Amino acid sequence: MTPPTSPASPESPTPPASPTPPMSTPRIRPARPDDYDTIVAVLDAWWGRPMTDKLPRLFLDHFHPTSLVAEDAAGLGGFLIGLLSPARPDEAYIHFAGVRPDLRRSGLARELYERFFALARADGRSVVRAVTGPVNTGSIRYHTAMGFTVHGPVADHDGPGADRMRFERPLDVGGAT
Amino acid sequence: MTPPTSPASPESPTPPASPTPPMSTPRIRPARPDDYDTIVAVLDAWWGRPMTDKLPRLFLDHFHPTSLVAEDAAGLGGFLIGLLSPARPDEAYIHFAGVRPDLRRSGLARELYERFFALARADGRSVVRAVTGPVNTGSIRYHTAMGFTVHGPVADHDGPGADRMRFERPLDVGGAT
């Protein structure tokens, strides 16, 4: 018989809320279409500037099998929106990746990238590309540390005045990189 | 012997510029990655509002084989950016389509859509979807005339406050629709 105060007992339909949720390691899973609403709700805050225009719902609707979500006890911990290029059979592309501010420098971003590299490699892709704005020095540092080469700023890459840094990283399809 | 004033003679390395270019029927071809710069340069003018944020270069880089460009003597006449959903094997998606203002009501948009329906059908897709903003009454009328059903406005479809009308059109894979 389970004591009535046990929060984990199957008889407790609503376990008492904990004022300080237990620390937990984020778990990474493939994204689902309905993750869109959770992700888009945090974009502007995580980036510190308006970003939602750059992530319409189509990216989750059509590319969720190659995208990833990390969750912990506090909810969404990070995500990566990626695709396997239909036009370039050797290439995978990361459109968006973000980690909750309190989880930065925890290794979660690296884990998301490595999970994406693995799924790209499993599909025979030999290069991963991404872009960012020249002001995004954190992203430039991060991609360099992750083994990407950096090229740019490329003028007007994403339209008039929208210069971008281009990132590129080879994937050793047979090996561990 | 060709008189020196003939503009079309093969001996004329640079035919004299015609102040009024000859009328021509736009020709439709598959898009190429480098069409991006031509397309993004006209977006804001063709739509009458800022649109370039919604079309980063990745759409041409990775989806040009399922996108279309129309050209005539005056240059870019129209385009359609489409994709065959990797996540939804029965679905094709039109992200952007536009026609130069002087070519509207010429049948060019219909021709672009029908070319896209044909390539989607050839890949076994049975439905085409697209979205637009509720203010875009021209697009809503156009899609209705093209056989799409309209659903919406759907609140927050593309992020907080970004309501959208959803369009859907079945494709008869075995037939002519």
Side-chain angles (χ1 to χ4, degrees), chain A residues 41-101:
Chain A
V42 302
L43 276 191
D44 294 359
W46 286 15
W47 264 259
R49 58 183 191 276
M51 297 298 281
T52 59
D53 255 15
K54 300 187 196 298
L55 192 68
R57 185 177 296 268
L58 74 91
F59 282 97
L60 271 293
D61 280 352
H62 302 301
F63 306 107
H64 65 87
T66 52
S67 299
L68 299 160
V69 159
E71 290 170 316
D72 65 6
L76 184 69
F79 65 92
L80 183 154
I81 311 293
L83 59 91
L84 304 174
S85 174
R88 300 175 174 173
D90 62 335
E91 183 170 337
Y93 185 81
I94 297 174
H95 177 49
F96 246 94
V99 166
R100 203 173 65 215

CSV table of all heavy atoms in Angstrom, one decimal, chain A residues 41-101:
chain,number,residue,atom,x,y,z
A,41,ALA,N,8.1,30.3,-29.1
A,41,ALA,CA,7.8,31.1,-27.9
A,41,ALA,C,9.0,31.6,-27.2
A,41,ALA,O,9.0,32.6,-26.5
A,41,ALA,CB,6.9,30.3,-27.0
A,42,VAL,N,10.2,30.9,-27.4
A,42,VAL,CA,11.4,31.3,-26.6
A,42,VAL,C,12.4,32.0,-27.5
A,42,VAL,O,13.4,32.5,-27.0
A,42,VAL,CB,12.1,30.1,-26.0
A,42,VAL,CG1,11.1,29.4,-25.0
A,42,VAL,CG2,12.6,29.1,-27.0
A,43,LEU,N,12.2,32.0,-28.9
A,43,LEU,CA,13.3,32.4,-29.8
A,43,LEU,C,13.8,33.8,-29.4
A,43,LEU,O,15.0,34.0,-29.3
A,43,LEU,CB,12.8,32.5,-31.2
A,43,LEU,CG,12.8,31.2,-32.0
A,43,LEU,CD1,12.5,31.6,-33.5
A,43,LEU,CD2,14.1,30.5,-31.9
A,44,ASP,N,12.9,34.8,-29.4
A,44,ASP,CA,13.3,36.2,-29.2
A,44,ASP,C,14.1,36.3,-27.9
A,44,ASP,O,15.1,37.1,-27.8
A,44,ASP,CB,12.1,37.1,-29.2
A,44,ASP,CG,11.4,37.2,-30.6
A,44,ASP,OD1,11.9,36.5,-31.5
A,44,ASP,OD2,10.4,37.9,-30.7
A,45,ALA,N,13.6,35.7,-26.8
A,45,ALA,CA,14.3,35.8,-25.5
A,45,ALA,C,15.7,35.1,-25.5
A,45,ALA,O,16.6,35.7,-25.0
A,45,ALA,CB,13.4,35.2,-24.4
A,46,TRP,N,15.8,34.0,-26.1
A,46,TRP,CA,17.1,33.2,-26.1
A,46,TRP,C,18.1,34.0,-27.0
A,46,TRP,O,19.3,33.9,-26.7
A,46,TRP,CB,16.9,31.8,-26.7
A,46,TRP,CG,16.2,30.9,-25.7
A,46,TRP,CD1,15.5,31.2,-24.6
A,46,TRP,CD2,16.2,29.4,-25.8
A,46,TRP,NE1,15.0,30.1,-24.0
A,46,TRP,CE2,15.4,29.0,-24.7
A,46,TRP,CE3,16.7,28.5,-26.7
A,46,TRP,CZ2,15.2,27.6,-24.5
A,46,TRP,CZ3,16.4,27.1,-26.5
A,46,TRP,CH2,15.7,26.7,-25.4
A,47,TRP,N,17.6,34.6,-28.1
A,47,TRP,CA,18.6,35.3,-29.0
A,47,TRP,C,18.8,36.8,-28.5
A,47,TRP,O,19.7,37.4,-28.9
A,47,TRP,CB,18.1,35.3,-30.4
A,47,TRP,CG,18.7,34.2,-31.2
A,47,TRP,CD1,19.8,34.3,-32.1
A,47,TRP,CD2,18.4,32.8,-31.2
A,47,TRP,NE1,20.1,33.1,-32.6
A,47,TRP,CE2,19.3,32.1,-32.1
A,47,TRP,CE3,17.4,32.0,-30.5
A,47,TRP,CZ2,19.2,30.8,-32.4
A,47,TRP,CZ3,17.4,30.7,-30.8
A,47,TRP,CH2,18.3,30.0,-31.7
A,48,GLY,N,17.8,37.3,-27.8
A,48,GLY,CA,17.9,38.7,-27.4
A,48,GLY,C,17.6,39.7,-28.5
A,48,GLY,O,17.9,40.9,-28.4
A,49,ARG,N,16.9,39.2,-29.6
A,49,ARG,CA,16.4,40.1,-30.6
A,49,ARG,C,15.3,39.4,-31.4
A,49,ARG,O,15.2,38.2,-31.3
A,49,ARG,CB,17.6,40.5,-31.5
A,49,ARG,CG,18.3,39.4,-32.2
A,49,ARG,CD,19.5,40.0,-33.0
A,49,ARG,NE,20.1,39.0,-33.9
A,49,ARG,CZ,21.1,38.1,-33.5
A,49,ARG,NH1,21.5,38.1,-32.3
A,49,ARG,NH2,21.6,37.2,-34.4
A,50,PRO,N,14.5,40.1,-32.2
A,50,PRO,CA,13.4,39.5,-32.9
A,50,PRO,C,13.9,38.4,-33.9
A,50,PRO,O,14.7,38.7,-34.8
A,50,PRO,CB,12.7,40.6,-33.7
A,50,PRO,CG,13.2,41.9,-33.0
A,50,PRO,CD,14.6,41.6,-32.5
A,51,MET,N,13.5,37.2,-33.8
A,51,MET,CA,13.9,36.1,-34.6
A,51,MET,C,12.8,35.3,-35.2
A,51,MET,O,13.0,34.4,-36.1
A,51,MET,CB,14.8,35.1,-33.8
A,51,MET,CG,16.1,35.7,-33.2
A,51,MET,SD,17.2,36.3,-34.5
A,51,MET,CE,18.0,34.7,-35.0
A,52,THR,N,11.6,35.5,-34.8
A,52,THR,CA,10.5,34.5,-35.1
A,52,THR,C,10.2,34.5,-36.6
A,52,THR,O,9.9,33.5,-37.2
A,52,THR,CB,9.2,34.8,-34.4
A,52,THR,OG1,8.8,36.1,-34.6
A,52,THR,CG2,9.4,34.6,-32.9
A,53,ASP,N,10.5,35.7,-37.3
A,53,ASP,CA,10.3,35.7,-38.8
A,53,ASP,C,11.1,34.7,-39.5
A,53,ASP,O,10.8,34.4,-40.6
A,53,ASP,CB,10.7,37.1,-39.3
A,53,ASP,CG,9.4,38.0,-39.6
A,53,ASP,OD1,8.3,37.6,-39.2
A,53,ASP,OD2,9.6,39.0,-40.3
A,54,LYS,N,12.3,34.4,-38.9
A,54,LYS,CA,13.2,33.5,-39.6
A,54,LYS,C,12.8,32.0,-39.4
A,54,LYS,O,13.5,31.1,-39.9
A,54,LYS,CB,14.6,33.7,-39.0
A,54,LYS,CG,15.1,35.1,-39.3
A,54,LYS,CD,16.6,35.3,-38.9
A,54,LYS,CE,17.0,36.7,-38.8
A,54,LYS,NZ,16.9,37.5,-40.1
A,55,LEU,N,11.8,31.7,-38.6
A,55,LEU,CA,11.5,30.3,-38.3
A,55,LEU,C,9.9,30.1,-38.5
A,55,LEU,O,9.2,29.9,-37.5
A,55,LEU,CB,11.9,29.9,-36.9
A,55,LEU,CG,11.8,28.3,-36.7
A,55,LEU,CD1,12.8,27.6,-37.5
A,55,LEU,CD2,12.0,28.0,-35.2
A,56,PRO,N,9.5,30.1,-39.7
A,56,PRO,CA,8.1,29.8,-40.0
A,56,PRO,C,7.8,28.3,-39.6
A,56,PRO,O,8.8,27.5,-39.6
A,56,PRO,CB,7.8,30.1,-41.4
A,56,PRO,CG,9.2,30.0,-42.1
A,56,PRO,CD,10.2,30.4,-41.0
A,57,ARG,N,6.6,28.0,-39.4
A,57,ARG,CA,6.2,26.6,-39.0
A,57,ARG,C,6.6,25.5,-40.0
A,57,ARG,O,6.8,24.4,-39.6
A,57,ARG,CB,4.6,26.6,-38.8
A,57,ARG,CG,4.1,25.3,-38.3
A,57,ARG,CD,2.6,25.3,-38.1
A,57,ARG,NE,2.2,26.3,-37.1
A,57,ARG,CZ,2.1,26.1,-35.8
A,57,ARG,NH1,2.2,24.8,-35.3
A,57,ARG,NH2,1.8,27.0,-34.9
A,58,LEU,N,6.8,25.9,-41.3
A,58,LEU,CA,7.1,24.9,-42.3
A,58,LEU,C,8.4,24.1,-41.9
A,58,LEU,O,8.5,22.9,-42.3
A,58,LEU,CB,7.3,25.5,-43.7
A,58,LEU,CG,8.5,26.4,-43.9
A,58,LEU,CD1,9.6,25.5,-44.6
A,58,LEU,CD2,8.2,27.5,-44.9
A,59,PHE,N,9.3,24.7,-41.1
A,59,PHE,CA,10.5,24.0,-40.8
A,59,PHE,C,10.3,22.8,-39.9
A,59,PHE,O,10.9,21.8,-40.0
A,59,PHE,CB,11.6,25.0,-40.2
A,59,PHE,CG,12.3,25.8,-41.2
A,59,PHE,CD1,11.8,27.1,-41.5
A,59,PHE,CD2,13.3,25.3,-42.0
A,59,PHE,CE1,12.5,27.9,-42.5
A,59,PHE,CE2,13.9,26.0,-42.9
A,59,PHE,CZ,13.5,27.3,-43.2
A,60,LEU,N,9.3,23.0,-39.0
A,60,LEU,CA,9.0,21.8,-38.1
A,60,LEU,C,8.1,20.9,-38.8
A,60,LEU,O,8.2,19.6,-38.8
A,60,LEU,CB,8.4,22.3,-36.8
A,60,LEU,CG,9.3,22.6,-35.6
A,60,LEU,CD1,10.0,21.3,-35.1
A,60,LEU,CD2,10.3,23.6,-36.0
A,61,ASP,N,7.1,21.4,-39.6
A,61,ASP,CA,6.2,20.5,-40.3
A,61,ASP,C,6.9,19.6,-41.2
A,61,ASP,O,6.6,18.4,-41.3
A,61,ASP,CB,5.2,21.3,-41.2
A,61,ASP,CG,4.0,21.9,-40.3
A,61,ASP,OD1,3.9,21.6,-39.2
A,61,ASP,OD2,3.3,22.7,-40.9
A,62,HIS,N,7.9,20.1,-42.0
A,62,HIS,CA,8.5,19.3,-43.0
A,62,HIS,C,9.9,18.7,-42.7
A,62,HIS,O,10.3,17.8,-43.4
A,62,HIS,CB,8.5,20.1,-44.3
A,62,HIS,CG,7.2,20.6,-44.7
A,62,HIS,ND1,6.2,19.7,-45.0
A,62,HIS,CD2,6.6,21.8,-44.9
A,62,HIS,CE1,5.0,20.4,-45.3
A,62,HIS,NE2,5.3,21.7,-45.2
A,63,PHE,N,10.5,19.3,-41.7
A,63,PHE,CA,11.9,18.8,-41.4
A,63,PHE,C,12.1,18.3,-40.0
A,63,PHE,O,13.2,18.2,-39.5
A,63,PHE,CB,12.9,19.9,-41.7
A,63,PHE,CG,12.8,20.5,-43.1
A,63,PHE,CD1,12.2,21.7,-43.3
A,63,PHE,CD2,13.2,19.7,-44.2
A,63,PHE,CE1,12.0,22.2,-44.7
A,63,PHE,CE2,13.0,20.1,-45.5
A,63,PHE,CZ,12.4,21.4,-45.7
A,64,HIS,N,11.0,18.0,-39.3
A,64,HIS,CA,11.1,17.5,-37.9
A,64,HIS,C,11.9,16.2,-37.8
A,64,HIS,O,12.6,16.0,-36.8
A,64,HIS,CB,9.7,17.4,-37.2
A,64,HIS,CG,8.8,16.4,-37.8
A,64,HIS,ND1,8.8,15.1,-37.4
A,64,HIS,CD2,7.8,16.6,-38.7
A,64,HIS,CE1,7.8,14.5,-38.1
A,64,HIS,NE2,7.2,15.3,-38.9
A,65,PRO,N,11.8,15.3,-38.8
A,65,PRO,CA,12.6,14.1,-38.6
A,65,PRO,C,14.1,14.3,-38.6
A,65,PRO,O,14.9,13.4,-38.1
A,65,PRO,CB,12.2,13.2,-39.8
A,65,PRO,CG,10.9,13.8,-40.3
A,65,PRO,CD,11.0,15.2,-40.1
A,66,THR,N,14.6,15.4,-39.1
A,66,THR,CA,16.0,15.7,-39.0
A,66,THR,C,16.3,16.9,-38.1
A,66,THR,O,17.4,17.5,-38.2
A,66,THR,CB,16.6,16.0,-40.5
A,66,THR,OG1,15.7,17.1,-41.1
A,66,THR,CG2,16.6,14.8,-41.3
A,67,SER,N,15.4,17.1,-37.2
A,67,SER,CA,15.6,18.2,-36.2
A,67,SER,C,15.5,17.5,-34.8
A,67,SER,O,15.0,16.4,-34.7
A,67,SER,CB,14.5,19.2,-36.3
A,67,SER,OG,14.6,19.8,-37.6
A,68,LEU,N,16.0,18.2,-33.8
A,68,LEU,CA,16.2,17.7,-32.5
A,68,LEU,C,15.7,18.6,-31.4
A,68,LEU,O,15.8,19.8,-31.6
A,68,LEU,CB,17.7,17.3,-32.2
A,68,LEU,CG,18.3,16.3,-33.2
A,68,LEU,CD1,19.8,16.5,-33.2
A,68,LEU,CD2,17.9,14.9,-32.9
A,69,VAL,N,15.2,18.0,-30.3
A,69,VAL,CA,14.7,18.8,-29.2
A,69,VAL,C,15.4,18.2,-27.9
A,69,VAL,O,15.4,17.0,-27.8
A,69,VAL,CB,13.2,18.8,-29.1
A,69,VAL,CG1,12.7,19.1,-27.7
A,69,VAL,CG2,12.6,19.7,-30.1
A,70,ALA,N,15.8,19.1,-27.0
A,70,ALA,CA,16.3,18.7,-25.7
A,70,ALA,C,15.4,19.2,-24.6
A,70,ALA,O,14.9,20.3,-24.7
A,70,ALA,CB,17.7,19.2,-25.5
A,71,GLU,N,15.1,18.3,-23.7
A,71,GLU,CA,14.1,18.7,-22.6
A,71,GLU,C,14.7,18.3,-21.3
A,71,GLU,O,15.4,17.2,-21.2
A,71,GLU,CB,12.8,18.0,-22.8
A,71,GLU,CG,12.0,18.5,-24.0
A,71,GLU,CD,10.8,17.7,-24.3
A,71,GLU,OE1,10.9,16.4,-24.3
A,71,GLU,OE2,9.7,18.3,-24.6
A,72,ASP,N,14.4,19.1,-20.3
A,72,ASP,CA,14.7,18.7,-18.9
A,72,ASP,C,13.5,19.0,-18.0
A,72,ASP,O,12.5,19.3,-18.5
A,72,ASP,CB,16.0,19.3,-18.4
A,72,ASP,CG,15.9,20.8,-18.3
A,72,ASP,OD1,14.8,21.4,-18.5
A,72,ASP,OD2,17.0,21.5,-18.0
A,73,ALA,N,13.7,19.0,-16.7
A,73,ALA,CA,12.6,19.2,-15.8
A,73,ALA,C,12.0,20.5,-16.0
A,73,ALA,O,10.8,20.8,-15.7
A,73,ALA,CB,13.0,19.0,-14.4
A,74,ALA,N,12.8,21.5,-16.5
A,74,ALA,CA,12.2,22.9,-16.6
A,74,ALA,C,11.6,23.1,-18.0
A,74,ALA,O,11.1,24.2,-18.3
A,74,ALA,CB,13.4,23.9,-16.4
A,75,GLY,N,11.6,22.1,-18.8
A,75,GLY,CA,11.0,22.2,-20.2
A,75,GLY,C,12.0,22.2,-21.3
A,75,GLY,O,13.0,21.4,-21.2
A,76,LEU,N,11.7,23.0,-22.3
A,76,LEU,CA,12.6,23.0,-23.5
A,76,LEU,C,14.0,23.5,-23.1
A,76,LEU,O,14.2,24.6,-22.5
A,76,LEU,CB,12.0,24.0,-24.5
A,76,LEU,CG,12.8,24.1,-25.9
A,76,LEU,CD1,12.7,22.8,-26.6
A,76,LEU,CD2,12.3,25.2,-26.7
A,77,GLY,N,15.0,22.7,-23.3
A,77,GLY,CA,16.4,23.0,-23.0
A,77,GLY,C,17.2,23.5,-24.2
A,77,GLY,O,18.2,24.2,-24.1
A,78,GLY,N,16.8,23.0,-25.4
A,78,GLY,CA,17.6,23.3,-26.6
A,78,GLY,C,16.9,22.7,-27.8
A,78,GLY,O,16.0,21.8,-27.6
A,79,PHE,N,17.3,23.1,-29.0
A,79,PHE,CA,16.8,22.5,-30.2
A,79,PHE,C,17.7,22.8,-31.3
A,79,PHE,O,18.6,23.6,-31.3
A,79,PHE,CB,15.4,23.1,-30.5
A,79,PHE,CG,15.4,24.6,-30.8
A,79,PHE,CD1,15.6,25.0,-32.2
A,79,PHE,CD2,15.4,25.5,-29.9
A,79,PHE,CE1,15.7,26.3,-32.5
A,79,PHE,CE2,15.5,26.9,-30.2
A,79,PHE,CZ,15.6,27.3,-31.5
A,80,LEU,N,17.6,22.0,-32.4
A,80,LEU,CA,18.3,22.1,-33.6
A,80,LEU,C,17.4,21.8,-34.8
A,80,LEU,O,16.7,20.8,-34.8
A,80,LEU,CB,19.5,21.2,-33.6
A,80,LEU,CG,20.5,21.3,-34.8
A,80,LEU,CD1,21.9,20.8,-34.4
A,80,LEU,CD2,20.0,20.5,-36.0
A,81,ILE,N,17.3,22.8,-35.7
A,81,ILE,CA,16.5,22.6,-36.9
A,81,ILE,C,17.4,22.3,-38.1
A,81,ILE,O,18.2,23.2,-38.5
A,81,ILE,CB,15.6,23.8,-37.2
A,81,ILE,CG1,14.9,24.3,-36.0
A,81,ILE,CG2,14.6,23.5,-38.4
A,81,ILE,CD1,13.8,23.4,-35.4
A,82,GLY,N,17.4,21.1,-38.6
A,82,GLY,CA,18.3,20.7,-39.6
A,82,GLY,C,17.6,20.1,-40.8
A,82,GLY,O,16.5,19.6,-40.6
A,83,LEU,N,18.3,20.0,-41.9
A,83,LEU,CA,17.7,19.4,-43.1
A,83,LEU,C,18.8,18.7,-43.9
A,83,LEU,O,20.0,19.1,-43.9
A,83,LEU,CB,16.9,20.3,-43.9
A,83,LEU,CG,17.5,21.6,-44.5
A,83,LEU,CD1,18.1,21.3,-45.9
A,83,LEU,CD2,16.5,22.7,-44.6
A,84,LEU,N,18.4,17.7,-44.6
A,84,LEU,CA,19.3,17.0,-45.6
A,84,LEU,C,18.9,17.5,-46.9
A,84,LEU,O,17.8,17.4,-47.4
A,84,LEU,CB,19.0,15.5,-45.5
A,84,LEU,CG,19.2,14.9,-44.1
A,84,LEU,CD1,18.8,13.4,-44.1
A,84,LEU,CD2,20.6,15.0,-43.6
A,85,SER,N,19.9,18.2,-47.5
A,85,SER,CA,19.6,19.0,-48.8
A,85,SER,C,19.1,18.0,-49.9
A,85,SER,O,19.8,17.1,-50.3
A,85,SER,CB,20.8,19.7,-49.3
A,85,SER,OG,20.6,20.3,-50.5
A,86,PRO,N,17.9,18.3,-50.5
A,86,PRO,CA,17.5,17.5,-51.6
A,86,PRO,C,18.3,17.9,-52.9
A,86,PRO,O,18.5,17.0,-53.7
A,86,PRO,CB,16.0,17.9,-51.8
A,86,PRO,CG,15.6,18.8,-50.7
A,86,PRO,CD,16.8,19.3,-50.0
A,87,ALA,N,18.7,19.1,-53.0
A,87,ALA,CA,19.5,19.5,-54.2
A,87,ALA,C,20.9,19.1,-54.2
A,87,ALA,O,21.5,18.9,-55.2
A,87,ALA,CB,19.4,21.0,-54.3
A,88,ARG,N,21.5,19.0,-53.0
A,88,ARG,CA,22.9,18.7,-52.8
A,88,ARG,C,23.1,17.4,-52.0
A,88,ARG,O,23.1,17.4,-50.8
A,88,ARG,CB,23.6,19.8,-52.1
A,88,ARG,CG,23.5,21.2,-52.9
A,88,ARG,CD,24.1,22.3,-52.1
A,88,ARG,NE,24.2,23.5,-52.8
A,88,ARG,CZ,24.5,24.7,-52.3
A,88,ARG,NH1,24.9,24.8,-51.0
A,88,ARG,NH2,24.5,25.8,-53.0
A,89,PRO,N,23.2,16.3,-52.7
A,89,PRO,CA,23.1,15.0,-52.0
A,89,PRO,C,24.2,14.8,-51.0
A,89,PRO,O,24.1,13.9,-50.2
A,89,PRO,CB,23.2,14.0,-53.1
A,89,PRO,CG,23.2,14.7,-54.4
A,89,PRO,CD,23.3,16.2,-54.1
A,90,ASP,N,25.3,15.6,-51.0
A,90,ASP,CA,26.4,15.4,-50.1
A,90,ASP,C,26.2,16.3,-48.9
A,90,ASP,O,27.1,16.3,-48.0
A,90,ASP,CB,27.7,15.6,-50.8
A,90,ASP,CG,27.9,17.1,-51.3
A,90,ASP,OD1,26.8,17.7,-51.5
A,90,ASP,OD2,29.0,17.5,-51.4
A,91,GLU,N,25.2,17.1,-48.8
A,91,GLU,CA,25.2,18.2,-47.9
A,91,GLU,C,24.0,18.2,-46.9
A,91,GLU,O,22.9,17.9,-47.3
A,91,GLU,CB,25.1,19.6,-48.6
A,91,GLU,CG,25.2,20.8,-47.7
A,91,GLU,CD,25.4,22.1,-48.5
A,91,GLU,OE1,25.9,22.0,-49.6
A,91,GLU,OE2,25.0,23.1,-48.0
A,92,ALA,N,24.3,18.5,-45.6
A,92,ALA,CA,23.3,18.7,-44.6
A,92,ALA,C,23.4,20.2,-44.2
A,92,ALA,O,24.4,20.8,-44.3
A,92,ALA,CB,23.5,17.8,-43.4
A,93,TYR,N,22.2,20.7,-43.7
A,93,TYR,CA,22.2,22.2,-43.4
A,93,TYR,C,21.5,22.4,-42.1
A,93,TYR,O,20.5,21.8,-41.8
A,93,TYR,CB,21.4,22.9,-44.5
A,93,TYR,CG,21.4,24.4,-44.4
A,93,TYR,CD1,22.5,25.2,-44.8
A,93,TYR,CD2,20.4,25.1,-43.8
A,93,TYR,CE1,22.5,26.5,-44.6
A,93,TYR,CE2,20.4,26.4,-43.6
A,93,TYR,CZ,21.5,27.2,-44.0
A,93,TYR,OH,21.5,28.5,-43.9
A,94,ILE,N,22.2,23.2,-41.2
A,94,ILE,CA,21.6,23.6,-39.9
A,94,ILE,C,21.0,25.0,-40.0
A,94,ILE,O,21.7,25.9,-40.3
A,94,ILE,CB,22.6,23.5,-38.8
A,94,ILE,CG1,23.1,22.0,-38.6
A,94,ILE,CG2,22.0,24.0,-37.5
A,94,ILE,CD1,24.3,21.9,-37.6
A,95,HIS,N,19.7,25.1,-39.9
A,95,HIS,CA,19.0,26.4,-40.1
A,95,HIS,C,19.0,27.2,-38.8
A,95,HIS,O,19.2,28.4,-38.8
A,95,HIS,CB,17.6,26.2,-40.6
A,95,HIS,CG,16.8,27.4,-40.8
A,95,HIS,ND1,17.4,28.5,-41.4
A,95,HIS,CD2,15.6,27.8,-40.3
A,95,HIS,CE1,16.5,29.5,-41.4
A,95,HIS,NE2,15.4,29.1,-40.7
A,96,PHE,N,18.8,26.5,-37.7
A,96,PHE,CA,18.6,27.1,-36.4
A,96,PHE,C,19.1,26.2,-35.3
A,96,PHE,O,18.8,25.0,-35.4
A,96,PHE,CB,17.2,27.4,-36.1
A,96,PHE,CG,16.8,28.8,-36.1
A,96,PHE,CD1,16.3,29.5,-37.2
A,96,PHE,CD2,16.8,29.6,-34.9
A,96,PHE,CE1,15.9,30.8,-37.2
A,96,PHE,CE2,16.4,30.9,-34.9
A,96,PHE,CZ,16.0,31.5,-36.0
A,97,ALA,N,19.8,26.7,-34.3
A,97,ALA,CA,20.1,25.9,-33.1
A,97,ALA,C,20.2,26.8,-31.9
A,97,ALA,O,20.7,27.9,-32.1
A,97,ALA,CB,21.4,25.1,-33.3
A,98,GLY,N,19.6,26.4,-30.8
A,98,GLY,CA,19.6,27.3,-29.7
A,98,GLY,C,19.6,26.5,-28.4
A,98,GLY,O,19.1,25.3,-28.4
A,99,VAL,N,20.2,27.0,-27.3
A,99,VAL,CA,20.2,26.4,-26.0
A,99,VAL,C,19.7,27.4,-25.0
A,99,VAL,O,20.0,28.6,-25.1
A,99,VAL,CB,21.6,25.9,-25.7
A,99,VAL,CG1,21.8,25.6,-24.2
A,99,VAL,CG2,22.0,24.7,-26.6
A,100,ARG,N,18.9,27.0,-24.1
A,100,ARG,CA,18.4,27.9,-23.0
A,100,ARG,C,19.5,28.5,-22.3
A,100,ARG,O,20.5,27.9,-21.9
A,100,ARG,CB,17.5,27.0,-22.0
A,100,ARG,CG,16.5,27.8,-21.3
A,100,ARG,CD,15.5,26.9,-20.5
A,100,ARG,NE,16.3,26.2,-19.5
A,100,ARG,CZ,16.1,24.9,-19.1
A,100,ARG,NH1,15.1,24.2,-19.7
A,100,ARG,NH2,16.8,24.4,-18.1
A,101,PRO,N,19.4,29.8,-22.0
A,101,PRO,CA,20.5,30.6,-21.4
A,101,PRO,C,21.2,29.9,-20.2
A,101,PRO,O,22.4,29.8,-20.1
A,101,PRO,CB,19.9,31.9,-21.0
A,101,PRO,CG,18.9,32.1,-22.0
A,101,PRO,CD,18.3,30.8,-22.3
